[in-house]
């Protein structure tokens, strides 16, 4: 899935799509996934990668994290270069996105998560990134 998202973002950047449009598509997908607790594999993934033998091998989960970080870095830099995004600490914002997303996915399997939670997270991430006055700065 990470590879598919990477290819999709690369293609949209090559097509000179608006960074805000690309961001909104991704955040919409993330919000829908956070609301769908039934399809979350977060706990199974956590348990699998916690197994001692697996944990000592090459960590596929970390490799996916790095691929995702690179993809987000490209998108954020693209948005900043186009003056659609605010200048941000790309690594910190990526961590905010990925760990918020994964945290909601994990907790939604353990307890009820109000629909306003993913929506609020997405709204705040968008506020951090999208420059006011950008052509697409409305939600």
């Amino acid at each position: 899935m990470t590879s598919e998202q990477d290819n999709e973002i690369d293609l949209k950047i090559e097509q000179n799509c608006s960074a805000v449009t690309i961001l909104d598509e991704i955040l919409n997908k993330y919000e829908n996934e956070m609301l769908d607790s039934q399809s979350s594999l977060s706990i199974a993934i956590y348990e699998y990668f916690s197994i001692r033998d697996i944990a000592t091998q090459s960590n596929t989960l970390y490799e996916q994290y790095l691929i995702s970080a690179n993809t987000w870095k490209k998108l954020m830099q693209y948005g900043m270069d186009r003056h659609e995004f605010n200048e941000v600490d790309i690594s910190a914002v990526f961590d905010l996105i990925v760990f918020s997303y994964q945290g909601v996915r994990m907790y939604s399997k353990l307890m009820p998560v109000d629909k306003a939670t993913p929506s609020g997270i997405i709204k705040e991430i968008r506020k951090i990134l999208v420059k006011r006055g950008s052509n697409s700065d409305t939600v």
Side-chain angles (χ1 to χ4, degrees):
M1 289 185 335
T2 303
S3 173
E4 182 180 312
Q5 179 176 289
D6 188 35
N7 293 337
E8 191 176 312
I9 290 171
D10 282 342
L11 178 63
K12 290 182 182 201
I13 288 173
E14 288 173 20
Q15 294 172 341
N16 203 34
C17 292
S18 161
V20 175
T21 300
I22 299 168
L23 175 69
D24 285 342
E25 289 173 2
I26 296 167
L27 292 180
N28 184 53
K29 181 178 140 195
Y30 281 19
E31 182 175 4
N32 289 333
E33 289 174 0
M34 284 189 281
L35 289 169
D36 183 13
S37 65
Q38 297 308 310
S39 67
S40 176
L41 296 175
S42 295
I43 292 177
I45 291 169
Y46 173 79
E47 288 174 351
Y48 177 77
F49 283 101
S50 297
I51 298 169
R52 180 176 293 253
D53 291 343
I54 301 297
T56 59
Q57 298 172 8
S58 99
N59 192 329
T60 307
L61 188 61
Y62 182 62
E63 291 169 13
Q64 291 301 312
Y65 167 87
L66 295 175
I67 291 168
S68 186
N70 186 53
T71 300
W72 275 97
K73 178 181 179 179
K74 284 188 279 188
L75 175 58
M76 285 188 254
Q77 190 61 58
Y78 175 70
M80 289 186 286
D81 292 346
R82 289 175 53 99
H83 305 287
E84 294 178 59
F85 289 177
N86 295 308
E87 294 292 324
V88 297
D89 178 333
I90 291 173
S91 295
V93 173
F94 169 70
D95 283 340
L96 176 68
I97 292 167
V98 74
F99 293 122
S100 296
Y101 168 79
Q102 288 299 338
V104 171
R105 297 285 285 167
M106 175 77 73
Y107 274 89
S108 71
K109 296 296 280 181
L110 306 172
M111 63 182 227
V113 173
D114 189 273
K115 289 182 179 189
T117 300
S119 176
I121 290 169
I122 296 303
K123 182 178 175 185
E124 292 305 312
I125 290 169
R126 200 174 186 288
K127 279 182 8 185
I128 290 168
L129 286 172
V130 178
K131 197 176 256 191
R132 283 205 180 275
S134 173
N135 290 340
S136 305
D137 72 347
T138 57
V139 175

